[in-house]
C-alpha cells in the first residue's frame, strides 16, 4: 500500500501547489489511479458552512490544486461536493459551498460543484449497517477521491479520511444512523461498514493536515498547525499517519476497530514502505486531544450501562447566552433530547441524551458546550497518565 507525507507551511497557492505536486509524484502520479477521461468525484469535508480560516473543512486551495492536476493529467471531468450535516438540498449545499470557498475553486478551474442532490438505496452488508441511502454524486462517478480534514472529534476521538465517508449518507439521514447506533463502538462499526462499501470506487485518500483542529472538534475546536499533507490508497493508513502527529493511533476507535475486524494489521507499519519514524521529529506534544474511553459495557445490566455512559462521557450543556434559538440542534438530535425553553433557548434532557454530540457539531453559533463529569476526568487521568491532556 502506498503512503506519502509532505510538508506544507501554509495555504498559499504556490506552497500548496508545490507540496501537492511532490505528494502526487511520490504516489507515482495520478494517472496510476485515475483512468483517462474519467468522471471523478472529489469528496471534500464540508461539514457545515465554515469559512476556511476556521479550519473545520477541507481547504479550497488543496481542492483547487488537485482538481487542476486531475484535469491536466487525466483529462478528467471533475465534480466537487459533499453532503453536510444539514439538509441535502440545493439551497443548503450551495450556501455551504460558498462559505467554504468552493465556489471560488470552480471559478478558477474547469471543475464543477455537485448539483445532484438525489440518492439511491444501497445494500451495505456491513457488520452494523445493513443498508442506507447513498448520495448519487458518489454512485454516478467513475472514481472517487476522498479529501478529509484532520481534526479532533468529540465522539469518535478524531476525524480524517475514514470518518469523512459518513458524508456519503445524505443530509439529515445521518441523524437516523446515529439513532440506530447510539453506542460508540456500534457507530464506529457503521462508519467502517461505509468505508468497506465505498472502498472499491475510491482510488485515493488525501488528508488536509496543514492546519488541523484541536479541542472540541470537529467544528468547535481551535485551529492547530500541523504542517502536513497526507495521501494513501488506503484510508486507514492515511489516518494513522495523521494521528501519529499528535497521538498514538491505536487509542482511536476507528483504528482499533479496523484492527479487530482484521481490515488492517496491528503492525500497520508492515503494510507500506513508508518510514513512520520520520514523523517523530514533528510530533506535537501540546495538541489538545479528545481521549475516548471505550464503552465495553455490553455484558453489564442495562441500568449499569446507563450509569457508566452518563458518567464517562462529556455532557451536553447549551449556553443560553450564545444560543439564538435557530433550532438546528433540535433538528439534528437523533434522541430528541433537545427542546426550547420558555425563552426560546435550547435545553437538554440529560436522560434522553445519547452523547453523540451532533448538536455540538452542527450548531452554527457554537452554543453547545461539553461538560466533563468527575468520573470521566478521573478515568481519563488514570488511563492516560502520560503527561498529555
Amino acid at each position: 500500500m502506498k503512503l506519502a507525507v509532505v510538508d506544507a507551511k501554509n495555504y498559499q497557492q504556490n506552497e500548496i501547489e508545490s507540496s501537492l505536486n511532490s505528494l502526487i509524484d511520490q504516489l507515482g502520479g495520478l494517472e496510476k489511479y485515475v483512468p483517462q477521461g474519467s468522471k471523478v468525484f472529489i469528496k471534500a469535508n464540508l461539514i457545515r458552512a465554515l469559512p476556511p480560516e476556521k479550519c473545520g473543512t477541507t481547504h479550497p486551495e488543496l481542492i483547487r490544486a488537485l482538481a487542476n492536476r486531475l484535469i491536466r493529467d487525466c483529462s478528467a471531468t471533475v465534480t466537487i461536493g459533499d453532503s453536510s450535516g444539514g439538509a441535502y438540498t440545493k439551497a443548503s449545499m450551495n450556501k455551504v459551498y460558498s462559505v467554504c470557498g468552493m465556489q471560488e475553486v470552480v471559478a478558477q478551474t474547469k471543475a464543477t460543484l455537485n448539483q445532484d442532490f438525489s440518492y439511491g438505496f444501497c445494500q451495505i452488508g456491513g457488520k452494523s449497517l445493513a443498508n442506507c441511502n447513498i448520495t448519487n454524486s458518489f454512485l454516478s462517478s467513475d472514481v472517487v477521491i476522498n479529501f478529509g480534514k484532520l481534526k479532533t472529534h468529540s465522539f469518535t476521538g478524531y476525524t480524517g479520511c475514514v470518518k469523512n465517508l459518513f458524508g456519503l449518507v445524505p443530509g439529515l439521514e445521518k441523524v437516523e444512523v446515529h439513532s440506530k447506533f447510539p453506542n460508540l463502538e456500534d457507530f464506529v462499526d457503521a462508519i467502517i461498514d461505509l468505508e468497506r462499501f465505498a472502498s472499491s470506487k475510491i482510488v485515493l485518500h488525501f488528508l488536509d493536515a496543514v492546519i488541523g483542529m484541536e479541542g472540541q472538534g470537529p467544528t468547535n475546536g481551535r485551529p492547530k498547525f500541523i504542517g502536513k499533507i497526507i495521501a494513501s490508497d488506503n484510508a486507514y493508513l492515511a489516518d494513522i499517519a495523521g494521528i501519529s502527529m499528535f497521538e498514538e493511533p491505536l487509542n482511536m476507535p476507528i483504528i482499533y476497530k479496523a484492527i479487530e475486524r482484521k481490515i488492517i494489521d496491528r503492525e500497520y507499519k508492515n503494510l507500506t514502505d513508508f518510514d513512520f519514524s520520520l514523523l517523530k521529529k514533528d510530533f506535537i506534544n501540546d495538541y489538545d486531544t479528545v481521549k475516548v474511553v471505550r464503552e465495553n459495557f455490553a455484558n453489564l445490566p442495562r441500568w449499569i450501562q446507563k450509569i457508566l455512559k452518563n458518567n464517562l462521557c462529556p455532557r451536553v450543556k447549551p449556553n443560553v447566552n450564545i444560543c439564538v434559538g435557530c433550532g438546528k440542534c433540535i433538528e439534528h438530535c437523533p434522541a430528541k433530547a433537545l427542546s426550547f425553553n420558555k425563552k426560546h433557548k435550547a435545553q437538554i434532557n440529560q436522560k434522553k441524551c445519547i452523547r453523540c454530540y451532533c448538536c455540538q457539531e452542527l450548531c452554527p453559533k457554537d452554543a453547545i458546550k461539553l461538560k466533563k463529569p468527575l468520573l470521566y476526568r478521573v478515568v481519563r487521568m488514570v488511563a492516560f497518565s502520560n503527561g498529555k491532556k
Side-chain angles (χ1 to χ4, degrees):
M1 298 178 190
K2 293 293 293 184
L3 173 64
V5 180
V6 297
D7 295 334
K9 297 177 182 177
N10 53 55
Y11 288 114
Q12 296 299 311
Q13 182 174 328
N14 290 342
E15 177 76 12
I16 290 302
E17 286 184 351
S18 175
S19 296
L20 194 70
N21 287 340
S22 174
L23 190 68
I24 291 171
D25 289 344
Q26 289 183 40
L27 293 171
L30 291 174
E31 308 95 315
K32 179 179 175 181
Y33 304 92
V34 179
Q36 288 293 311
S38 297
K39 291 193 299 181
V40 180
F41 177 55
I42 300 179
K43 199 284 181 197
N45 183 322
L46 306 176
I47 185 171
R48 64 176 171 91
L50 287 172
E53 59 269 21
K54 293 288 188 179
C55 298
T57 54
T58 311
H59 198 278
E61 273 302 322
L62 286 162
I63 301 296
R64 185 196 61 78
L66 177 60
N68 275 335
R69 280 294 300 261
L70 284 164
I71 294 167
R72 187 192 80 188
D73 298 353
C74 306
S75 300
T77 301
V78 177
T79 302
I80 301 161
D82 191 13
S83 166
S84 72
Y88 193 51
T89 62
K90 183 176 181 179
S92 177
M93 286 307 307
N94 280 329
K95 179 182 178 181
V96 171
Y97 293 153
S98 178
V99 174
C100 293
M102 295 299 147
Q103 288 184 342
E104 294 179 16
V105 171
V106 298
Q108 299 170 17
T109 68
K110 294 181 180 180
T112 59
L113 292 171
N114 175 56
Q115 296 296 311
D116 178 3
F117 303 108
S118 61
Y119 43 84
F121 187 74
C122 295
Q123 296 297 326
I124 306 300
K127 180 179 178 180
S128 289
L129 192 62
N131 49 61
C132 70
N133 284 318
I134 298 292
T135 59
N136 275 334
S137 55
F138 173 85
L139 296 175
S140 63
S141 62
D142 295 326
V143 296
V144 175
I145 293 180
N146 178 30
F147 213 134
K149 179 77 174 184
L150 188 60
K151 303 177 287 182
T152 49
H153 195 286
S154 296
F155 187 43
T156 59
Y158 87 99
T159 180
C161 289
V162 180
K163 178 64 168 62
N164 193 41
L165 298 177
F166 194 34
L168 299 181
V169 178
L172 296 174
E173 295 200 22
K174 297 181 186 68
V175 175
E176 295 181 23
V177 176
H178 267 294
S179 65
K180 287 180 181 177
F181 309 108
N183 178 279
L184 171 63
E185 306 271 326
D186 293 336
F187 178 74
V188 167
D189 270 323
I191 295 298
I192 293 174
D193 291 340
L194 279 170
E195 185 280 326
R196 294 286 81 195
F197 167 80
S199 61
S200 62
K201 186 173 278 195
I202 301 176
V203 294
L204 283 172
H205 302 268
F206 287 81
L207 189 56
D208 174 3
V210 182
I211 302 178
M213 181 177 284
E214 65 176 356
Q216 290 187 359
T219 58
N220 289 288
R222 301 175 301 278
K224 184 72 171 181
F225 179 77
I226 303 171
K228 304 291 182 185
I229 310 173
I230 299 164
S232 177
D233 53 4
N234 181 279
Y236 302 95
L237 276 181
D239 283 356
I240 286 167
I243 298 165
S244 295
M245 299 302 303
F246 58 86
E247 176 63 281
E248 166 53 57
L250 298 180
N251 289 337
M252 294 298 180
I254 289 173
I255 304 303
Y256 66 65
K257 289 291 285 186
I259 292 171
E260 286 178 2
R261 290 175 59 167
K262 302 187 185 306
I263 296 169
I264 57 173
D265 192 272
R266 186 177 184 86
E267 298 300 324
Y268 54 82
K269 296 173 185 178
N270 298 331
L271 300 176
T272 176
D273 57 3
F274 181 81
D275 185 0
F276 281 88
S277 67
L278 296 174
L279 301 178
K280 291 182 179 179
K281 63 181 177 60
D282 296 319
F283 187 85
I284 304 169
N285 287 294
D286 64 347
Y287 207 98
D288 186 5
T289 60
V290 173
K291 299 293 188 182
V292 180
V293 179
R294 294 196 67 170
E295 299 178 5
N296 288 330
F297 313 144
N299 296 322
L300 297 174
R302 287 198 171 187
W303 67 274
I304 296 180
Q305 291 184 40
K306 189 172 182 179
I307 291 173
L308 288 172
K309 186 164 186 175
N310 286 344
N311 289 279
L312 285 175
C313 300
R315 295 177 182 174
V316 170
K317 186 177 181 181
N319 187 326
V320 295
N321 296 318
I322 301 175
C323 176
V324 296
C326 70
K328 291 289 185 183
C329 60
I330 297 171
E331 180 183 14
H332 291 93
C333 179
K336 308 300 180 186
L338 284 152
S339 60
F340 287 126
N341 63 17
K342 292 180 180 180
K343 296 183 178 180
H344 204 70
K345 303 286 186 176
Q347 63 182 3
I348 182 77
N349 182 334
Q350 296 291 353
K351 292 182 178 179
K352 288 186 177 181
C353 180
I354 62 174
R355 310 294 198 269
C356 68
Y357 311 122
C358 291
C359 54
Q360 182 244 13
E361 182 175 318
L362 296 169
C363 173
K365 299 298 180 181
D366 296 342
I368 303 296
K369 305 302 178 184
L370 302 182
K371 184 178 180 182
K372 298 169 184 174
L374 176 60
L375 184 57
Y376 169 91
R377 295 196 296 268
V378 170
V379 170
R380 176 173 168 170
M381 180 179 63
V382 171
F384 304 103
S385 57
N386 60 356
K388 289 184 62 181
K389 287 183 179 183

